[in-house]
Amino acid sequence: MTAVITSLRAELRHDSAVVATATPRLSWVVGGDITGWQQASAELSDGEITLTLDDGESALAPWPFRPLAPGESRSVRVRAHSTDGRSTTWSDALVVEAGFLADDEWVALPVGLADPSRAAQPAAVRTRFMIEREVTRAVLFWTALGVAEPTVNGAPVSDDVLSPGWTAYRDRLVHESVDVTALLRDGENELAATIAGAWYTEKYGFFTFTDRVYGDQPSWLAQLRVTYADGTSATLAATGPGWEATGDGPVVDSGIYAGEHQDLRRSLDDAVWTSARVGAAARPGYENVPVPEPRIAPPVRRIETLPVAEVLASPSGATILDFGQNLVGRLRIRARGAAGTRIVIRHAEVLDAGELALRPLRNAEATATFDLSGGDDVLESRFSFYGFRYAQITGLDVDPADIEAVVLHSDLARTGWFSASDPLVQKLHENVRWGMRGNFLSIPTDCPQRDERLGWTGDIQVFAPTATFLYDCDGFLTSWLRDLAHEQNRDGGIVPVVVPAALPSFAGGGPVAAWGDAATVVPSVLWQRFGDRDVLAAQYPSMRAWVEAVRRDAGDSGLWAGRMQLGDWLDPAAPPDKPGKAKVDSDIVASAYFARSLRQVADAAALLGHDEDAETYGTLAEAARRAFTAEYVTPAGRMMSDAPTAYALALQFDLVVDADTRAALGRRLAALVREGGYRIGTGFVGTPLVADALTATGHVDAAERLLLQTQCPSWLYPITQGATTVWERWDSLLPDGSVNPGEMTSFNHYALGAVADWLHRSVAGLAPAAPGYRRLRIAPRPLSALTRASARHLTPYGEAAVSWRRDGDSIVVTATVPANTTADIDLPGIAATVGPGSHEWRVAAAAGAQRPELPGLDADLAAVIDDPRAYRALLDTLADVAPERVDAVREETTWAAGRPLVSALMFTPPSVLDAVDHAIRAATTP
């Protein structure tokens, strides 16, 4: 087998060769026989010229040709040559199409319903135009204030859903670029679209304090560029005067939160059409309609369908459909009934007492309603989506075989896989992936089901490393970061807690740590994981503006203290109705993030050649780090907030650099985790960091116990309760099966699933050691309870993989290193660097801990919980002789070193004490 080019891509989209820039970067992957393959040079051809690039870069290489002109297509091929004299054949041709317009070419105006009868009324718009010469190419450029489904001569122009998506409408619109040549005909043609308000006309806010932010009615904007056989081109059918509109189509009402009502008896053929409104129906302050820019990220599409897994009968007698998976999308039903028969679909993520749990939806009706036509109907919402596992259909008996769930999300390419021998850990990872799928819908959202579904910046800030492993989301997050920068520019550098900024008054208007830091963290992650220098350069002004906004708010001390913060949100110790009351002081969280963001800005400045900024922010970062240490870290290695998140921040953000102090912090963190019974004691901020902090300080065993815990709160507890996605709260569903009483309860929130990044990098052992995985780090840390684990990732250079398995007293590690990369190996007794190809190592497995005999009731509490024999004997004995004590002992005991077991059993009858004493001694005696 020889080396071959297995893929060639322009810019950031895998799903389309349409590019948004005249100079798209090119990436190619070498496959086949890649052993030892390092690129020396590459030849590239665009059909006009063949050039040689005399360097080793094969990911996001600069466009070497003449810039593309608007409407131009170019056929690109590549051939690579290795340092040892091998060459690939020429790749298959990639037709790169310019999806952008020339300067001043955009002329379309917003059009919509001129005389709507109600707010946010769906509508249809249309015009007719003539084709009187031979057409070689026709491209439809369109966008919406809202969402739309365009047609040409009655045929849909694409399979996109909810396009063009949600952006910062005042400053940024995204246009689609769709080749519609095949849909045109000689003579008269019709260009039309059905439009709905979606995010543009939604009411945002909480409780009863909600209102529309952007506009009251949806609008559509479009124009057709037609290229004729003689080489000339023209713009036709641009939205504006002369367009018609109607509100009499099948879509009666639609909203992101409310759901959708369709009356299938209504037809556009029978509708009354009148002159369309020209201009946006915008709210004050949102009148500006920016010239749209071309799409850089894949759109939302129908990704897959799921059948009904089970039909349930509720206590009230209702029939409930269980799809076996909490998902985001909608139902598709094939139905036939009398004209006007109304079918109503309610959606829920979980059941409560056997009925749909609707309370967590809050003000979101999340209801799909259909009035049947009287013929064969296919029922599916068009401009809304729902987060659900369960659905209840009323109005008509429908065969479950005629019902399926349609899964929607942005059409990202999957790039990451993980496997482990423990089925609960495996399920945790799959739940993380499903949570990402449901919440990467146009923008990265917090949840997909209730009256929120917003782009909370803190959630994606902590989850970005996991997201970039699981899916190719470079373009997706780059697009969202553009909105972040626009919203930030309107508030003096302050990053809103949600992007787009649909909650303008939330959080009092000041900067919020960990949320606003998405401005620095997410671009840094995209650089680290994709090697995307351009996004770092584009976002650098935003990164800098953020830390300057914090500097103004924090003052000159280097600390960021005394301000309103969300802190370690949803610490399990926080009351259900006060999710911000975490154990760690929010000033520690804010100051830690301030120091980290300053360092990230300094690093970005150095990379981009902003030398003065690099020096300035490097000095500020070091000052903030020293201030943090002086204020919050004791000489003995204790944090002033003695909470796991405080220690994790200090360690993982490298705020403490002294080796002895770091070791002391690690020991105390491990002790706190043990004292908490190896149950989670962190919220949104600490959870992504705690396992890494334990691992980095030599306490992998504590990280393992934390991972494998099944009691609440823990990562695996929701799985024992049937979860198929990651929850917002550790106890969104209580042990008795009831829904958490808190006002804020979601069963699809990816933030707490950020631990998956640790599974990839540490448990399986696959991590980037240089931006874009140009150099890999292979360093698995086998957990004692696992017999195998593996991770596989499609890096920008090709597939990388690591797996390990136990084989007697050995551990066998195998790895695949992609072409044009190297890998640093960190295994017991092995420190090496290897090149592309397949590799295998055999190392000695770590010896199991030698457990001493424990002296019954006098045993140290730490020794009891750290000895599985003793801990199991304690709980089993209590379950037999004093079952009412089990939960209290397990959940209320502080499992600290230096305290005897008997201290946790105060007021316990002597007979129970004797039984426990005997059981502990018997279980730990060899």
Side-chain angles (χ1 to χ4, degrees), residues 603-630:
D603 290 346
L607 175 72
L608 298 170
H610 304 314
D611 296 339
E612 186 175 339
D613 275 6
E615 181 176 355
T616 297
Y617 290 108
T619 300
L620 289 169
E622 178 60 16
R625 186 196 68 76
R626 291 179 180 273
F628 180 94
T629 302

Side-chain angles (χ1 to χ4, degrees), residues 125-129 189-192 237-238 242-244:
V125 294
R126 73 180 184 187
T127 194
R128 293 184 173 89
F129 61 96
N189 291 259
E190 180 187 77
L191 174 61
W243 276 69
E244 297 179 307

Side-chain angles (χ1 to χ4, degrees), residues 539-828:
Q539 293 301 128
Y540 180 75
S542 165
M543 298 172 71
R544 188 179 184 277
W546 165 247
V547 295
E548 287 299 321
V550 176
R551 286 183 68 193
R552 291 193 299 272
D553 192 60
D556 298 327
S557 68
L559 301 174
W560 188 10
R563 297 293 190 264
M564 195 295 296
Q565 300 287 356
L566 298 178
D568 195 22
W569 190 253
L570 286 170
D571 180 322
D577 59 341
K578 295 180 179 179
K581 289 185 68 65
K583 293 185 292 294
V584 64
D585 190 321
S586 64
D587 288 350
I588 288 182
V589 173
S591 296
Y593 266 95
F594 183 32
R596 184 198 194 195
S597 281
L598 284 167
R599 173 53 57 195
Q600 289 176 322
V601 172
D603 290 346
L607 175 72
L608 298 170
H610 304 314
D611 296 339
E612 186 175 339
D613 275 6
E615 181 176 355
T616 297
Y617 290 108
T619 300
L620 289 169
E622 178 60 16
R625 186 196 68 76
R626 291 179 180 273
F628 180 94
T629 302
E631 186 77 11
Y632 300 122
V633 184
T634 73
R638 288 286 190 102
M639 297 298 300
M640 295 301 291
S641 267
D642 196 32
T645 292
Y647 291 87
L649 286 166
L651 290 165
Q652 288 308 108
F653 287 5
D654 291 325
L655 302 176
V656 175
V657 296
D658 177 74
D660 291 340
T661 307
R662 286 182 63 86
L665 291 171
R667 287 192 296 272
R668 180 55 186 159
L669 174 59
L672 283 172
V673 170
R674 181 202 303 116
E675 289 174 10
Y678 295 106
R679 294 188 302 276
I680 287 288
T682 51
F684 268 36
V685 168
T687 296
L689 306 175
V690 64
D692 269 311
L694 290 166
T695 302
T697 53
H699 302 284
V700 177
D701 54 342
E704 175 179 356
R705 289 289 298 274
L706 199 61
L707 172 69
L708 299 180
Q709 175 65 261
T710 58
Q711 297 297 314
C712 185
S714 69
W715 284 295
L716 300 187
Y717 163 75
I719 297 168
T720 69
Q721 299 295 302
T724 61
T725 44
V726 175
W727 295 349
E728 179 178 24
R729 295 177 181 268
W730 298 108
D731 59 349
S732 286
L733 206 64
L734 302 180
D736 65 3
S738 62
V739 174
N740 187 293
E743 177 269 335
M744 184 182 68
T745 303
S746 159
F747 294 87
N748 195 347
H749 244 76
Y750 55 62
L752 298 179
V755 68
D757 190 51
W758 175 75
L759 295 178
H760 306 148
R761 291 181 291 98
S762 294
V763 176
L766 177 58
Y773 291 84
R774 187 68 187 269
R775 192 170 79 250
L776 282 65
R777 173 176 164 80
I778 296 173
R781 297 295 180 257
L783 304 185
S784 62
L786 300 183
T787 59
R788 60 171 178 82
S790 65
R792 182 165 63 94
H793 180 57
L794 302 183
T795 78
Y797 299 94
E799 181 177 313
V802 178
S803 68
W804 62 264
R805 59 180 173 83
R806 297 187 183 276
D807 184 11
D809 294 334
S810 299
I811 291 178
V812 179
V813 180
T814 60
T816 299
V817 180
N820 216 22
T821 69
T822 58
D824 298 334
I825 312 304
D826 182 2
L827 296 171

